[in-house]
Amino acid sequence: MINFITKMMQNYRKIIHIDMDCFYAAVERLDNNNLAGKAIVVGHDSDRGVVSTASYEARRYGVHSAQSIRMAKRLCPNLLIIEPRFERYKEISNKIHNIFHRYTDLIEPISIDEAFLDVTQNKKGIELASDIAKEIKASIHDELGLTASAGVSYCKLLAKIASDYNKPDGLCIIHPDNAIEFLDKLKVEDLWLVGHKTALELHSLGIFKVRQLRNQSLSTLSRLFGKRGQLFYDYARGIDDSPVEARNDRKSVSCESTFAQDLSLKSNVIIELYHITLELVNRLDKSDFSGHTLTLKVKYADFTQVTRSLTCATPLTSKDTILPLAKVLLQKVEINASHPIRLMGLGVSCCDDKPQNKLLSKPKQEEPQLPFAEY
């Protein structure tokens, strides 16, 4: 199998995944030295607030992102809660991307604090992708005072997984010769597209490790998971041909609101929908963006979530065009006392905008010993 991968990847790409360490919290510490060494989270300090980022000091208490602020306070009594400053985070993110562009313009942002870079052909003519990753990490540290973790491999799948190793300020390289050996150390949850529900399905079949997934035939995986079966078959073999796609144009604008109390009356929901529409229109105007697809997102009190979308010929830029359509979408959503709404959001996107795959991987305690040669 290893020889097969090596032969297949004779002309392999060189992909880097950069992931900033505790980005929001790190920026707050950059601007306030008094926060150094303290357990902090970034998020709105309210009963319905959610942790956006937790420092490593806070994580030692079990605090993590997407956790309620209320729970975070219980776990860490000395926790400091910082209100988010998204404009500042965006400013720093732009500076990080300027560093990326010194090496390549093939940059695919995944979020404000992580991105893929294809450096197979790079502006500086540096042979080893590992050397580029080291330079990028050093520049981010020296110029911005922040740390980043990097993963280097021949495909996006493995570069992303590698960046989660040895955090913070880590660097991990997965060479084609070692791809199968590396994958054999992983749980199926570490693979792209394997979320909690899919993991449970695999577990019910006795599949817990990637090496066990590799033993399944393509026909079996296709029968169980449809089109995803081919992806799981490939990923278990270290195969991911998806390109690094530079995204210079904004694809969508959205906003959402978590309510102080769960809403079960439709009249109250419509009032909130009106305010969210006004905020969305304001953001569309500031970003000079228009699209043709409107998406309504609703999260219920039990944290289940639904989305409803429609596409129209008229550009969606104003309250008069968006609000009537938002009400149409709302009619397709269940609202009652047994199913109250916790959060609601609206977004406008290009009609050809496609949902992006989420990379799901978890940090490991030890970095595997992999060769740095050729990468």
Side-chain angles (χ1 to χ4, degrees):
M1 178 63 70
I2 292 178
N3 290 335
F4 167 76
I5 292 290
T6 302
K7 182 177 180 180
M8 181 190 69
M9 304 304 291
Q10 284 178 344
N11 297 315
Y12 55 72
R13 297 174 296 160
K14 297 180 181 181
I15 309 298
I16 300 174
H17 180 260
I18 299 289
D19 190 5
M20 300 301 298
D21 299 321
C22 299
F23 183 55
Y24 293 173
V27 173
E28 293 301 333
R29 281 181 170 167
L30 184 69
D31 294 344
N32 185 353
N33 292 331
N34 293 329
L35 298 177
K38 296 180 180 179
I40 65 172
V41 298
V42 174
H44 295 296
D45 189 1
S46 66
D47 289 340
R48 309 303 291 268
V50 175
V51 175
S52 294
T53 303
S55 69
Y56 285 102
E57 292 84 356
R59 294 183 189 188
R60 296 191 188 108
Y61 291 85
V63 178
H64 57 78
S65 60
Q67 188 177 65
S68 70
I69 292 291
R70 180 185 297 177
M71 176 59 71
K73 287 179 177 180
R74 291 176 185 171
L75 294 171
C76 183
N78 297 322
L79 190 68
L80 296 179
I81 301 168
I82 312 298
E83 283 292 315
R85 298 181 298 150
F86 294 110
E87 289 301 319
R88 176 59 171 159
Y89 308 147
K90 180 65 175 177
E91 176 189 351
I92 298 296
S93 179
N94 289 337
K95 292 181 180 180
I96 294 168
H97 278 254
N98 289 338
I99 293 174
F100 295 162
H101 279 286
R102 298 172 190 173
Y103 300 89
T104 180
D105 291 327
L106 281 177
I107 302 167
E108 181 177 342
I110 302 302
S111 64
I112 194 172
D113 63 342
E114 62 176 315
F116 288 108
L117 290 72
D118 188 329
V119 296
T120 310
Q121 303 293 328
N122 60 86
K123 295 178 180 180
K124 295 192 176 185
I126 299 174
E127 181 179 359
L128 303 182
S130 56
D131 287 342
I132 295 176
K134 290 175 185 176
E135 285 192 16
I136 289 174
K137 282 166 50 64
S139 296
I140 291 173
H141 181 268
D142 296 344
E143 298 175 28
L144 303 177
L146 301 172
T147 63
S149 294
V152 181
S153 195
Y154 59 84
C155 66
K156 291 163 65 176
L157 169 74
L158 291 175
K160 166 61 180 174
I161 293 174
S163 69
D164 276 330
Y165 274 76
N166 202 28
K167 277 180 167 286
D169 199 19
L171 173 63
C172 180
I173 294 87
I174 306 177
H175 191 275
D177 288 344
N178 301 88
I180 298 301
E181 177 185 352
F182 186 94
L183 285 166
D184 283 348
K185 302 175 186 291
L186 304 180
K187 300 176 182 179
V188 290
E189 292 93 325
D190 297 315
L191 291 179
W192 199 334
L193 295 182
V194 180
H196 178 69
K197 182 178 179 181
T198 302
L200 292 178
E201 292 181 76
L202 290 168
H203 293 170
S204 69
L205 300 170
I207 303 172
F208 297 87
K209 299 285 188 178
V210 174
R211 56 180 170 78
Q212 294 173 311
L213 181 63
R214 194 183 309 115
N215 291 332
Q216 306 301 310
S217 68
L218 176 58
S219 60
T220 297
L221 292 175
S222 297
R223 175 172 53 83
L224 294 171
F225 299 102
K227 293 181 179 179
R228 289 183 300 161
Q230 178 70 63
L231 293 175
F232 295 157
Y233 182 86
D234 289 343
Y235 293 164
R237 289 159 175 77
I239 300 171
D240 172 23
D241 297 328
S242 60
V244 174
E245 298 178 324
R247 298 178 195 161
N248 296 320
D249 298 325
R250 179 185 284 270
K251 296 293 185 180
S252 65
V253 171
S254 62
C255 62
E256 62 184 38
S257 177
T258 300
F259 307 131
Q261 294 181 336
D262 298 333
L263 302 182
S264 58
L265 293 177
K266 189 172 182 179
S267 57
N268 291 338
V269 175
I270 291 176
I271 292 173
E272 293 297 337
L273 184 68
Y274 176 83
H275 293 302
I276 293 172
T277 299
L278 293 182
E279 174 62 22
L280 177 60
V281 170
N282 181 50
R283 293 188 183 189
L284 290 168
D285 181 59
K286 286 184 176 180
S287 58
D288 192 25
F289 178 86
S290 67
H292 293 266
T293 297
L294 181 68
T295 299
L296 172 70
K297 169 184 173 182
V298 168
K299 181 178 290 187
Y300 293 103
D302 61 2
F303 287 88
T304 58
Q305 181 175 303
V306 298
T307 59
R308 298 290 183 265
S309 299
L310 57 80
T311 299
C312 63
T314 304
L316 301 172
T317 57
S318 68
K319 175 176 71 70
D320 293 339
T321 56
I322 294 174
L323 186 58
L325 296 178
K327 290 180 179 179
V328 170
L329 293 176
L330 188 63
Q331 292 175 1
K332 302 178 181 180
V333 173
E334 180 182 0
I335 307 172
N336 53 53
S338 62
H339 218 187
I341 294 176
R342 170 188 175 86
L343 173 151
M344 187 163 57
L346 273 180
V348 171
S349 61
C350 301
C351 57
D352 61 347
D353 192 24
K354 298 178 181 179
Q356 301 300 315
N357 296 331
K358 289 186 178 181
L359 296 173
L360 300 178
S361 53
K362 298 181 180 180
K364 309 299 174 191
Q365 298 302 315
E366 297 180 359
E367 180 179 359
Q369 298 300 313
L370 298 169
F372 279 59
E374 300 181 51
Y375 257 69

